[in-house]
Amino acid sequence: MFAAAPPYIATHDLAKVVLSALIFGWRMARLHSTCYMSETGEKVYVISGQLFFGTMTHFVEQFDVANDPGQVVIDFSRSHVWDLSAVTAISKVVAKYRDANKFVLITGLNEESKQLVDRLGLSVFAGH
C-alpha cells in the first residue's frame, strides 16, 4: 500500500504566473490611434492594438467629435475587438457622432471581430 503524497503548493510558481499575467495585461492594454484627412474630406482614425474592457475608456477618448468633419472612418485593420466592453465602446463613439449629425463608417474589422460586433450589435450599452 502506498501513502498519498501531501498536498504541495508551489508559491514561487504562483508568483511567476501572477507576474506573467500582469505583464501580459499591460502589453495588451496598449491602444493607439492615428488620424488623417482623406482626399475626399473625411477624417480617418486608424486604431492599433487590442480593444477590450481594459482599453475601452482610452478608445472613447481618442475621438474629437466636435471638431471632426461630417464623415468619419474608424479603421480597425490593425486592431482586434475582444469583448462586450469593446463593442460598447465602439457603440458609444458611434452614438456621439450620430448625436452630432455626423456619419461614421467602421472598416477593417477582422473576421472574428466582425462576427462579435454583428452578433452583439452596435446599439448595445452595458452601463460602462
Side-chain angles (χ1 to χ4, degrees):
M1 185 174 260
F2 295 99
Y8 174 68
I9 299 174
T11 56
H12 66 282
D13 289 338
L14 180 61
K16 288 179 186 177
V17 169
V18 170
L19 183 59
S20 294
L22 289 172
I23 291 170
F24 176 75
W26 179 258
R27 288 182 182 165
M28 290 289 289
R30 293 185 208 165
L31 184 77
H32 304 283
S33 71
T34 56
C35 57
Y36 64 90
M37 294 298 291
S38 73
E39 293 177 8
T40 58
E42 55 196 11
K43 188 167 185 180
V44 179
Y45 287 90
V46 179
I47 308 302
S48 301
Q50 310 302 313
L51 186 55
F52 66 110
F53 69 92
T55 58
M56 68 175 282
T57 301
H58 182 65
F59 171 78
V60 171
E61 294 170 350
Q62 298 300 301
F63 301 91
D64 187 9
V65 177
N67 296 310
D68 281 348
Q71 292 195 18
V72 174
V73 175
I74 304 175
D75 180 359
F76 285 96
S77 59
R78 297 180 181 177
S79 185
H80 187 86
V81 177
W82 285 101
D83 59 13
L84 173 62
S85 295
V87 176
T88 300
I90 297 169
S91 294
K92 284 184 176 188
V93 170
V94 169
K96 286 181 180 185
Y97 280 107
R98 285 186 184 153
D99 290 347
N101 294 316
K102 298 180 181 185
F103 176 77
V104 178
L105 176 64
I106 305 293
T107 64
L109 289 169
N110 62 38
E111 191 58 36
E112 186 178 339
S113 297
K114 184 178 182 328
Q115 288 176 2
L116 181 65
V117 169
D118 288 347
R119 184 169 46 92
L120 296 175
L122 285 181
S123 61
V124 163
F125 285 95
H128 293 283

